[in-house]
Amino acid sequence: MPRILLTGAGGGIGARLRKLLPPIYPDLVLSDLKAPADLTPSEKFVAAELSDIAQVKKAVAGIDGVIHLGGFSVEGPWDTILNANIIGAYNLFEAAREAGVKRIVFASSNHAVGFYPRSQTIDTQVQVRPDSRYGVSKAFGEALAAFYAFKFGIGCLCIRIGNLGERPLDERRLSIWLENSDLVSLIRIGLEREGLLYEVVYGMSDNKRAWWDNSRARELGYLPKARSEDFAAEILAAQKNIKPDPVGDFFQGGTFCADEFANDFDMLKKLKP
Ligand code: 15L
C-alpha cells in the first residue's frame, strides 16, 4: 500500500482531498504549517514549513508519492511567493529525491498561462505566459518537475488547475471549472499510471466552453464526469451583475491579468496566435 503525502492539507483544495482520498489511499499523511482545526484521530499529520528543508525532509521520510498543493495559492508579495512557492517547491522535490519518492503530482495553475486570450484554444505545448508572480512560481514548479523527472526519474504530473469546487463560480469559471472527483481522477493518473515520466495537463472538468485542449490528459486515461454547462444558464444570468473588466475579461487569467496591468492593451489584442 503506497504511503502518500498531501502538502497544503490545510487549504481549500486540501480540505476536499482529505475527504476524498482516504478510501483510495488509506495510508495518507497530511502536511501543512499547522494541523487543520478539524483534524480527526484517524488522520496522520506532520507539520512542515516548506521553506525549511529539514522540516520538509521529515515530512517526506518513508513516502512513496506526493501530492504537492503546499504554498501560497494566489498572487502575493515577492518574498511570500519566493519562500512558499519557489524555495518551498525546490525543497519538496529535493527532499523527495533523497527519500526515494517515486511520484509527484504538482498542483500547477492556469495562471502559468494566464496571458493567452480567451479567443485562443491552447494545449500544453504552448510557451508559459504567467499573469502574476504566483503564475511565475507555478511555471517554475513545472520546470522543476521536468528536471526531477528527466534527471532523477521521479514520475511527475503537473496539473494546471483551473478553479476547483462544487460548482463554477462565474462566466470565466464555466471555462476552467474542475469538480472535486475529477481532480481525484487526475491525481490517480499522476500517482498510478504506468510509465508516466513527465506530463502537463489541464485541471478542468468536461467544460463545453473550455479554452484548453486537454487531449493529452484524455490520452493518459482522464475521463472527466462533471460538466460546467449544467450550470451555465444560472451563472450567465448572475454574470450580468458583475462589473465588466476589459483586460481581465479578454485574457484567460482574468483579474490576475488586470491587476497591475500597465501594457498597451490594444497592441496585445492584435497579437497573432
Ligand atoms: C488559482 O490558481 C487560485 O489558487 C485560485 O484561488 C483561483 O484564483 C483560481 O486560480 C482561478 O483562476 O480561478
Side-chain angles (χ1 to χ4, degrees):
M1 180 167 62
R3 175 167 278 207
I4 304 298
L5 175 70
L6 176 69
T7 70
I13 299 182
R16 294 173 169 105
L17 292 180
R18 278 171 58 204
K19 295 200 181 87
L20 295 170
L21 291 179
I24 307 162
Y25 303 116
D27 196 0
L28 183 70
V29 180
L30 311 177
S31 182
D32 210 310
L33 286 169
K34 55 180 175 47
D38 60 347
L39 193 77
T40 65
S42 65
E43 290 181 304
K44 295 185 210 71
F45 179 82
V46 185
E49 159 74 61
L50 288 169
S51 61
D52 179 343
I53 194 156
Q55 294 186 32
V56 180
K57 280 183 186 175
K58 280 189 195 144
V60 165
I63 293 294
D64 301 300
V66 179
I67 305 163
H68 184 46
L69 307 179
F72 201 68
S73 66
V74 287
E75 179 62 318
W78 172 239
D79 256 17
T80 306
I81 298 292
L82 176 65
N83 284 304
N85 293 13
I86 295 194
I87 296 174
Y90 178 78
N91 288 346
L92 186 280
F93 276 80
E94 182 54 16
R97 179 191 68 76
E98 273 189 39
V101 166
K102 291 170 196 65
R103 292 289 174 103
I104 299 178
V105 174
F106 174 64
S108 185
S109 165
N110 71 92
H111 296 290
V113 288
F115 264 121
Y116 282 92
R118 297 184 185 190
S119 56
Q120 188 178 339
T121 301
I122 56 172
D123 62 15
T124 48
Q125 300 298 311
V126 295
Q127 292 175 342
V128 290
R129 276 193 199 171
D131 56 22
S132 48
R133 292 162 197 83
Y134 166 70
V136 170
S137 75
K138 293 300 182 181
F140 171 81
E142 292 183 5
L144 196 64
F147 172 57
Y148 278 86
F150 286 96
K151 182 78 87 172
F152 304 114
I154 301 179
C156 292
L157 179 72
C158 301
I159 308 175
R160 286 182 184 161
I161 298 176
N163 190 263
L164 187 85
E166 288 66 39
R167 45 185 288 125
L169 299 174
D170 56 19
E171 186 174 8
R172 175 173 168 269
R173 271 59 169 257
L174 284 175
S175 300
I176 69 167
W177 178 54
L178 174 62
E179 187 275 332
N180 303 329
S181 302
D182 285 338
L183 173 60
V184 172
S185 304
L186 285 170
I187 288 172
R188 293 195 71 169
I189 290 170
L191 294 177
E192 298 173 32
R193 167 119 187 157
E194 218 174 295
L196 183 137
L197 181 58
Y198 176 73
E199 300 286 347
V200 180
V201 295
Y202 288 103
M204 67 168 172
S205 289
D206 186 8
N207 300 338
K208 192 174 160 201
R209 294 160 198 259
W211 306 312
W212 304 327
D213 170 355
N214 216 12
S215 45
R216 187 63 193 140
R218 287 183 184 264
E219 281 163 21
L220 293 169
Y222 179 49
L223 263 180
K225 301 262 184 324
R227 300 180 323 163
S228 65
E229 207 54 22
D230 296 345
F231 301 88
E234 189 190 330
I235 294 290
L236 293 175
Q239 186 73 24
K240 295 198 179 87
N241 304 319
I242 301 175
K243 205 169 152 241
D245 166 1
V247 174
D249 294 345
F250 180 80
F251 291 111
Q252 298 185 5
T255 56
F256 283 63
C257 297
D259 290 346
E260 299 177 64
F261 185 81
N263 202 354
D264 179 345
F265 184 39
D266 290 327
M267 177 275 290
L268 287 184
K269 279 198 287 191
K270 283 184 211 132
L271 281 183
K272 294 243 157 14

